[in-house]
Amino acid sequence: MHTDPTCIFCKIAQQEIPSYRVYEDEAVVAFLDLSQVTKGHTLVIPKHHAKNVYELPEEVAADVFKRVPTIAKAIQRETGAIGMNVLSNAEEVAGQTVYHFHIHLIPRFGHEDGFGAKWITQNDAFTSEELTTLASNIHSQV
Ligand code: 5GP
Ligand code: ZN
C-alpha cells in the first residue's frame, strides 16, 4: 500500500496524528472533520495514498465507496440529520486543500445549517447537438 510520510491524512490513517474515528478496517478510515461544517461532518479516506479522484486506483475507489452507505446511515441515525451531502473535491478550483483523496459526508439539518453548494443551472446554454457531441466525446474516452 502506497503512503506518503508528509501527508496529514496518511498520518491520521497510520495513527501518527490523533483523530475522532468513526470507522476503521484494513483499507479505510473514517473520522470527524475538524471543521465540523455541520454536526457529524465526517471524512472517509483510503489508507492507500492517492491525491484525488483522478489518481484513485479502481480497487481503492471500490474499497472506499462501498463503505459510504453504512457510515452515512450511522451518522444519520446518531445526528438525526434530515439529509446529507456526499462530495469529494479535486484540485484547488474545486476546494481541495488536503491532497489525499477523501469523501466528505455532510449531514444536513436545514437550508441554513452552515453548508451550501451554489448551483447555477444552465438549461439553455447548450444545444441538443452540442450535448450529443459532448456525451459522445466523453464516452469515447472512458
Ligand atoms: P478539502 O478542502 O480538501 O476537500 O477538505 C479537507 C478537510 O480536511 C477540511 O474540511 C478540513 O477541515 C479537514 N482537515 C484538515 N486537517 C485536518 C486534520 O488534521 N484532522 C481532521 N480531522 N480534519 C482535518
Ligand atoms: Zn496521504
Side-chain angles (χ1 to χ4, degrees), residues 2 13 15 23 29-30 38 40 42-43 49 62 64-66 76 78 80 86 91 104 110-111 113 126 132 141:
H2 175 58
Q15 307 215 45
Y23 178 81
V29 182
T38 61
T42 295
L43 301 174
H49 178 86
V64 177
F65 280 94
K66 76 181 177 194
Q76 192 274 333
E78 173 58 24
V86 180
E91 303 296 347
H104 291 263
H111 293 291
D113 61 4
F126 304 99
T132 300
Q141 296 178 71

Side-chain angles (χ1 to χ4, degrees), residues 45-98:
I45 68 168
K47 289 186 174 176
H48 175 99
H49 178 86
K51 183 183 176 191
N52 56 35
V53 70
Y54 298 127
E55 296 185 5
L56 197 61
E58 281 190 5
E59 63 279 9
V60 178
D63 278 339
V64 177
F65 280 94
K66 76 181 177 194
R67 270 71 166 192
V68 165
T70 302
I71 298 167
K73 282 181 275 192
I75 296 167
Q76 192 274 333
R77 274 196 297 273
E78 173 58 24
T79 64
I82 56 173
M84 188 169 294
N85 287 97
V86 180
L87 73 132
S88 183
N89 303 325
E91 303 296 347
E92 188 271 338
V93 70
Q96 186 173 15
T97 58
V98 176

Side-chain angles (χ1 to χ4, degrees), residues 8-9 12 17-20 31-37 41 43 87-91 94-100 102-104 106:
I8 192 158
F9 284 1
I12 286 175
I17 290 180
S19 65
Y20 298 98
F31 54 95
L32 297 180
D33 190 308
L34 279 184
S35 71
Q36 289 296 284
V37 166
H41 178 187
L43 301 174
L87 73 132
S88 183
N89 303 325
E91 303 296 347
Q96 186 173 15
T97 58
V98 176
Y99 289 86
H100 177 129
H102 50 280
I103 297 173
H104 291 263
I106 306 176

Side-chain angles (χ1 to χ4, degrees), residues 1-20:
M1 178 170 45
H2 175 58
T3 60
D4 175 346
T6 68
C7 168
I8 192 158
F9 284 1
C10 284
K11 288 180 183 169
I12 286 175
Q14 303 305 318
Q15 307 215 45
E16 290 165 27
I17 290 180
S19 65
Y20 298 98

